[in-house]
Amino acid sequence: MIHAIGLVETTSIAQGIECADIMSKTADVTILVAKTICPGKYIVMVSGDVSGVQQSVNAGVDLGAETVVDSFVIPNVHPSILPAIGRANALKDIKALGIIETFTVASLIEA
C-alpha cells in the first residue's frame, strides 16, 4: 500500500535525472515515474511513507534549485490517483466532463 507520493518537476532534463538520483538515495522511497514530459521538462515521482517521501522531495528541490518549477507531497493518497496518472482508469457512461488546465504537471495532479 502506498502511503504518500511526492513529485519534483524541473525545467532541465539533466537536473531532473540528478534529482531522481538524490531522491532515491535520501530516503526509503520507490521511484514511480522518472521521465521527460515535454521538451526540456522532467518529472520524478516517488512513493513511500510520508516522512520518507517528504525527505526525498526536499532533497530533490534543494538539488534542483532554480530549475524546479513545482513539487508536492500528498500524504494518505487516494488509491485511485495512481491509476489515473497512468491513464489506467476505465471510464464508463460519461455524463459530464470537466477540464482543468495547468502550467505544471504537479499542480494538475494536486488538483
Side-chain angles (χ1 to χ4, degrees):
M1 177 178 187
I2 293 176
H3 297 286
I5 60 172
L7 184 134
V8 175
E9 183 174 347
T10 67
T11 57
S12 164
I13 295 168
Q15 196 73 53
I17 292 168
E18 286 188 89
C19 287
D21 180 59
I22 195 71
M23 290 170 72
S24 66
K25 291 176 179 175
T26 297
D28 185 17
V29 295
T30 300
I31 294 180
L32 299 175
V33 177
K35 68 178 187 174
T36 302
I37 55 170
C38 65
K41 286 183 89 177
Y42 199 85
I43 60 170
V44 182
M45 182 185 298
V46 297
S47 67
D49 66 38
V50 177
S51 63
V53 170
Q54 186 66 62
Q55 290 172 354
S56 178
V57 168
N58 289 346
V61 168
D62 289 346
L63 179 78
E66 70 279 347
T67 67
V68 174
V69 292
D70 209 348
S71 67
F72 68 71
V73 172
I74 301 176
N76 305 313
V77 66
H78 192 277
S80 68
I81 297 299
L82 291 179
I85 291 169
R87 300 180 308 250
N89 282 355
L91 302 176
K92 298 176 185 161
D93 300 322
I94 297 174
K95 297 186 190 319
L97 175 67
I99 297 172
I100 300 172
E101 187 173 355
T102 66
F103 178 71
T104 67
V105 171
S107 61
L108 179 62
I109 293 171
E110 283 186 297

